[in-house]
Amino acid sequence: QVQLVESGGGLVQAGGSLRLSCAASGLTFSTYSMGWFRQAPGKERDVVAGISRSGRVPYYTDSVKGRFTISRDNAKSTVYLQMNSLKPEDTAVYYCAARPTILAGLEVEDYDSWGQGTQVTVSS
């Protein structure tokens, strides 16, 4: 049973930073591409970032480029999302997701497994 557990969310002021972690179990982590998605109240769940199996091919949605960095540590079966220069519009529940492909997908339906989410709230 694949399990993904996010952590690191919380309340931060605009301009601050958070690092989210997603610990995976029940899978051979290095064979899965990973994604981070977020969902604000009343909004669709949208991709934030993705990363290939090896970590060599990252993807970022335009609104977070230059501010967020996705990375992975296959030895620890963990994917990270470093979030800097946070804005109130970044407020959302953040989810990690996994799929057994080389490249990360950009859509919710591309992924097989999901974590429970972690709340990120950015105050102005």
Side-chain angles (χ1 to χ4, degrees):
Q1 192 86 340
V2 175
Q3 289 187 309
L4 304 174
V5 181
E6 302 97 333
S7 62
L11 175 64
V12 65
Q13 292 184 342
S17 297
L18 287 171
R19 187 176 75 162
L20 306 184
S21 299
C22 175
S25 60
L27 76 171
T28 302
F29 185 71
S30 62
T31 69
Y32 281 71
S33 58
M34 302 293 297
W36 283 99
F37 290 73
R38 64 187 180 188
Q39 187 168 22
K43 299 276 193 175
E44 298 289 329
R45 188 176 299 187
D46 290 324
V47 68
V48 177
I51 193 164
S52 63
R53 291 177 179 176
S54 67
R56 294 194 300 267
V57 187
Y59 166 82
Y60 302 96
T61 195
D62 285 344
S63 63
V64 308
K65 285 180 179 176
R67 300 190 297 122
F68 291 10
T69 303
I70 189 170
S71 62
R72 65 190 294 161
D73 186 339
N74 285 351
K76 296 181 178 179
S77 297
T78 301
V79 63
Y80 304 95
L81 187 69
Q82 178 67 47
M83 305 186 295
N84 299 326
S85 301
L86 282 161
K87 303 174 180 180
E89 52 262 45
D90 295 319
T91 295
V93 177
Y94 283 70
Y95 300 87
C96 68
R99 70 172 191 163
T101 60
I102 295 174
L103 298 177
L106 307 181
E107 304 292 340
V108 168
E109 58 264 31
D110 293 334
Y111 287 87
D112 302 303
S113 301
W114 293 85
Q116 83 288 347
T118 186
Q119 177 71 47
V120 172
T121 303
V122 184
S123 62
S124 59

